[in-house]
Amino acid sequence: MTTITSEFVPAELDGARWESLAPLYKTLCDRELACSGCLEQLLLDRSVLDATASEAQTNLYVRMTCHTDDKQAKSAYLRFVEAVEPHLKQVGFELDRKIVGSPHGADLDGPRYAVLLRDLAADVELFREQNIPLQTEDTKLDQQYEETCGAMTVDFEGAERTLPQMSKYLEQTDRATREAAWRGVAERRFADHEKLDTIFDRMVELRTQMARNAGFDDYRGYMFKRYHRFDYTPADCEDFHRAAEQVCVPVLRRLNAERKDALGIDPLRPWDLAVDPMGREPLQPFEGTDDLVAKTSRLFHRMDPSLGAMFDTLRTGDCLDLETRKGKAPGGYQAHRDRSLRPFIFMNAAGVHRDLDTMVHEAGHAFHSILCHHEPLLHYRNSPIEFAEVASMTMELFGFPYLDEFYDEAEAMRARRKRLEELATMLPWIATIDAFQHWIYTNPEHTHDERAAYWLQLSDRFGSAVSWDGLAKYHEVSWQRQGHLYGVPFYYIEYGIAQLGALQMWLQYKKDPAKAIANYKNALALGGSRPLPELFAAAELDFSFGPPTMRRLMDEVQNELDTLPI
Ligand SMILES: [Zn+2]
């Protein structure tokens, strides 16, 4: 085990209690910064202390999500959120200000500290006392959104079902069942559409006010800075939208047409998109999580022995909780224990194809964490999402040749096709959500009718070739199901940028696997220590998301799709 040792922070310090953290943070805040060496030492000591608190929070979060029926686990996590986190935020801001204000920052090794100082300076610049209550109200509104959506159920086939439970009916081969399920969900969402509109209106108002308080014309400019988007602009995002429209949408609609023909229906309707077009049973890649882990290990060993070995380190100790069971939170994630330097992968494996994608994806995040263990600064052990998701999405594509660990050849082809089809659907959807937010926050005074009209316009521009005939009222408010618009505004384009990086990695891999693996590992090892374009360059990837890059990549996707039967 590689736990970070530090003279400043004892290994046994309890990072879950503010009383144990507070004296050390106070020492840091009071420390005299007489020279650049002192500033550097402050950065290092702070890093270990932050990592100690972060690991405590991660452990509490992991325990809670693994045991949602354990009241004590939940209250311990909430205690941290309520009694420790606000102190950490406050003292964190104080330290940021101290570091940014130090004249010795200019004497530090420029390239080494440039990203860190740039990020901290932006955070300090954006901070406004008067925005704190606005932020709190915004968070509460998101809780209302979550509660409203979480409470939605549909009576279907003799039982009350949650909306996530309803999604499996959209995969049924019986079309009437799919239509009834789709309409049931749409009608249930529609019943709350006014409430969700009102919540969103207030959020737009609050967010616009926060931006103006901080001296910005609109919330878009404010959020670009808050997300540390120093290396691309709204105009670059518009370039991505154009690329999705010109290059991906034709591929998407071609796939829709093939699906329509395979299903023998006309026109395609919104409830026809998830069913297997050939009416086959779902893929079954493994039986039980031991089988999943063993097969995934072989996949990585064949891809690259050192990645295989890295994956195997996760098999010992408490690094994996994979199988679905009662009392476990939904979804999947990779979390990193920042002090003891151990990744953790959480998921709900039930034996379906998606579980295999999730396993390989989260393993990519774990490789990223492990490859950054040499980095002393916590801030640099995490990279921006635009690159972090390159690490994970790349593994899904590099895994293509080794799917025979899970499937026979026909099934493996079906799995590859599924992944590429998802990608052709995802990129235009990302453009839709991103373009919608750009419009929302640069036109904050819009009416509901204008909002609906703009949404439908985007759907024409980027959507699937399905007929919404007679479904207009559902279509107009269908943006309300995208929780990111409520909870994490402007956060979404990151996945598009990362996907373009991952596709470029895949093209490299097809040409020269050894070189591609080396590029992948070199770039991941930089963590977040370099600006985004340099992280991309370290893996020999273009950091550009306009039509030429998109065309080069989608041509390859289309070529591959041509070799894979429907
Ligand atoms: Zn991810």
Side-chain angles (χ1 to χ4, degrees):
M1 195 139 304
T2 32
T3 295
I4 299 174
T5 54
S6 156
E7 282 178 21
F8 179 64
V9 188
E12 66 281 2
L13 187 86
D14 182 359
R17 294 174 61 245
W18 176 242
E19 305 84 82
S20 29
L21 293 164
L24 291 183
Y25 274 112
K26 182 163 189 325
T27 314
L28 289 180
C29 290
D30 293 346
R31 205 183 272 181
E32 189 99 40
L33 294 182
C35 60
S36 60
C38 311
L39 178 57
E40 211 161 7
Q41 193 57 48
L42 175 81
L43 294 173
L44 291 169
D45 288 340
R46 178 196 182 173
S47 189
V48 189
L49 191 54
D50 284 349
T52 306
S54 146
E55 174 149 345
Q57 181 164 19
T58 301
N59 284 333
L60 292 168
Y61 182 76
V62 164
R63 208 175 111 208
M64 176 180 72
T65 52
C66 291
H67 309 283
T68 52
D69 42 8
D70 178 345
K71 282 207 180 79
Q72 220 189 341
K74 186 177 177 187
S75 64
Y77 180 74
L78 290 181
R79 207 179 313 125
F80 188 94
V81 169
E82 281 160 17
V84 182
E85 216 179 11
H87 289 297
L88 287 173
K89 273 195 183 151
Q90 200 187 345
V91 79
F93 177 69
E94 232 172 279
L95 285 169
D96 288 349
R97 202 164 42 185
K98 184 181 174 90
I99 292 161
V100 169
S102 165
H104 299 295
D107 305 331
L108 292 178
D109 171 13
R112 169 71 185 143
Y113 291 102
V115 169
L116 174 68
L117 295 177
R118 179 193 72 176
D119 292 353
L120 297 189
D123 297 345
V124 170
E125 189 192 322
L126 288 183
F127 181 80
R128 294 289 184 285
E129 192 85 43
Q130 79 217 86
N131 277 347
I132 294 174
L134 275 58
Q135 184 60 59
T136 308
E137 190 182 343
D138 195 25
T139 308
K140 284 191 179 147
L141 286 166
D142 183 47
Q143 283 164 357
Q144 279 179 34
Y145 168 80
E146 296 280 346
E147 263 174 47
T148 307
C149 294
M152 290 180 185
T153 58
V154 175
D155 282 321
F156 197 74
E157 293 198 336
E160 185 185 19
R161 297 175 202 274
T162 64
L163 300 200
Q165 285 168 346
M166 288 301 290
S167 63
K168 70 168 189 275
Y169 292 102
L170 294 175
E171 295 177 19
Q172 297 227 335
T173 49
D174 180 54
R175 197 180 190 204
T177 306
R178 294 201 304 271
E179 176 172 353
W182 190 94
R183 284 182 183 273
V185 170
E187 191 55 42
R188 179 61 193 88
R189 287 189 186 281
F190 188 77
D192 274 328
H193 82 275
E194 277 173 16
K195 186 174 176 193
L196 296 180
D197 261 332
T198 309
I199 291 175
F200 195 66
D201 290 345
R202 180 65 185 144
M203 283 176 149
V204 173
E205 201 180 332
L206 282 169
R207 290 166 182 178
T208 301
Q209 190 57 52
M210 280 192 258
R212 293 194 177 141
N213 289 346
F216 287 80
D217 291 337
D218 60 48
Y219 188 64
R220 179 174 71 173
Y222 173 81
M223 285 307 276
F224 265 65
K225 190 152 213 174
R226 192 158 139 206
Y227 283 156
H228 299 158
R229 291 180 181 173
F230 301 107
D231 305 300
Y232 60 99
T233 62
D236 292 318
C237 296
E238 283 160 17
D239 231 18
F240 176 87
H241 307 160
R242 264 190 299 279
E245 177 184 16
Q246 292 168 14
V247 185
C248 292
V249 171
V251 176
L252 171 64
R253 294 193 180 158
R254 208 156 41 233
L255 290 167
N256 294 150
E258 288 173 15
R259 162 174 287 272
K260 178 171 67 90
D261 293 344
L263 287 168
I265 52 174
D266 194 17
L268 207 57
R269 302 281 268 164
W271 46 85
D272 298 322
L273 296 173
V275 61
D276 183 80
M278 306 305 286
R280 289 163 295 202
E281 289 298 310
L283 290 165
Q284 288 185 322
F286 59 91
E287 269 178 60
T289 49
D290 289 346
D291 192 32
L292 169 64
V293 170
K295 286 172 171 169
T296 307
S297 169
R298 289 203 294 274
L299 174 147
F300 282 123
H301 276 280
R302 282 170 65 194
M303 188 189 295
D304 174 63
S306 81
L307 291 180
M310 241 179 252
F311 182 79
D312 287 344
T313 64
L314 303 174
R315 299 172 73 173
T316 54
D318 55 341
C319 292
L320 302 174
D321 190 330
L322 306 179
E323 78 283 354
T324 189
R325 62 170 183 268
K326 193 166 171 286
K328 207 171 157 179
Y333 63 79
Q334 190 264 159
H336 193 244
R337 273 76 60 101
D338 288 324
R339 180 88 196 260
S340 62
L341 301 178
R342 288 170 306 145
F344 176 78
I345 296 177
F346 174 96
M347 60 184 277
N348 279 281
V352 299
H353 176 72
R354 175 179 289 276
D355 299 336
L356 157 59
D357 276 344
T358 305
M359 178 83 263
V360 172
H361 179 102
E362 302 305 340
H365 285 309
F367 298 156
H368 207 174
S369 301
I370 293 169
L371 286 164
C372 292
H373 282 172
H374 63 89
E375 169 60 59
L377 290 177
L378 178 61
H379 193 72
Y380 286 170
R381 287 206 293 275
N382 294 300
S383 80
I385 306 289
E386 293 89 339
F387 192 71
E389 290 295 325
V390 174
S392 51
M393 290 172 170
T394 295
M395 288 298 101
E396 295 179 40
L397 297 167
F398 280 16
F400 273 12
Y402 316 112
L403 290 177
D404 57 358
E405 294 291 346
F406 297 87
Y407 296 126
D408 67 27
E409 185 48 27
E411 290 169 332
M413 286 203 275
R414 195 175 145 198
R416 282 178 210 125
R417 185 175 177 95
K418 203 172 153 75
R419 183 77 204 95
L420 296 176
E421 282 189 3
E422 278 167 9
L423 211 142
T425 310
M426 197 60 198
L427 289 167
W429 179 249
I430 291 169
T432 308
I433 295 298
D434 192 57
F436 188 57
Q437 307 204 68
H438 283 250
W439 182 88
I440 292 283
Y441 294 104
T442 51
N443 298 280
E445 319 287 343
H446 63 261
T447 64
H448 288 181
D449 283 347
E450 287 165 341
R451 184 150 81 203
Y454 190 71
W455 177 251
L456 295 185
Q457 196 182 317
L458 290 174
S459 180
D460 281 346
R461 190 177 166 201
F462 297 113
S464 293
V466 295
S467 163
W468 287 89
D469 206 24
L471 306 170
K473 69 169 189 177
Y474 306 128
H475 195 187
E476 281 177 6
V477 295
S478 58
W479 56 271
Q480 293 180 342
R481 73 191 146 104
Q482 189 69 44
H484 295 72
L485 294 169
Y486 288 82
V488 274
F490 275 104
Y491 174 66
Y492 214 52
I493 184 87
E494 287 85 345
Y495 292 100
I497 295 171
Q499 189 65 75
L500 296 189
L503 278 169
Q504 292 182 67
M505 289 278 11
W506 179 54
L507 262 55
Q508 281 185 23
Y509 190 71
K510 287 169 77 147
K511 234 195 249 164
D512 185 347
K515 178 91 188 308
I517 292 276
N519 282 345
Y520 174 82
K521 288 196 276 196
N522 285 340
L524 263 58
L526 292 174
S529 66
R530 294 279 182 279
L532 264 182
E534 288 183 38
L535 297 177
F536 273 67
E540 299 189 35
L541 307 175
D542 287 336
F543 185 69
S544 69
F545 15 105
T549 304
M550 187 78 86
R551 190 167 306 282
R552 184 163 70 86
L553 300 171
M554 288 312 284
D555 281 352
E556 198 59 35
V557 169
Q558 186 62 56
N559 287 343
E560 184 86 7
L561 279 169
D562 289 343
T563 69
L564 302 168
I566 205 166

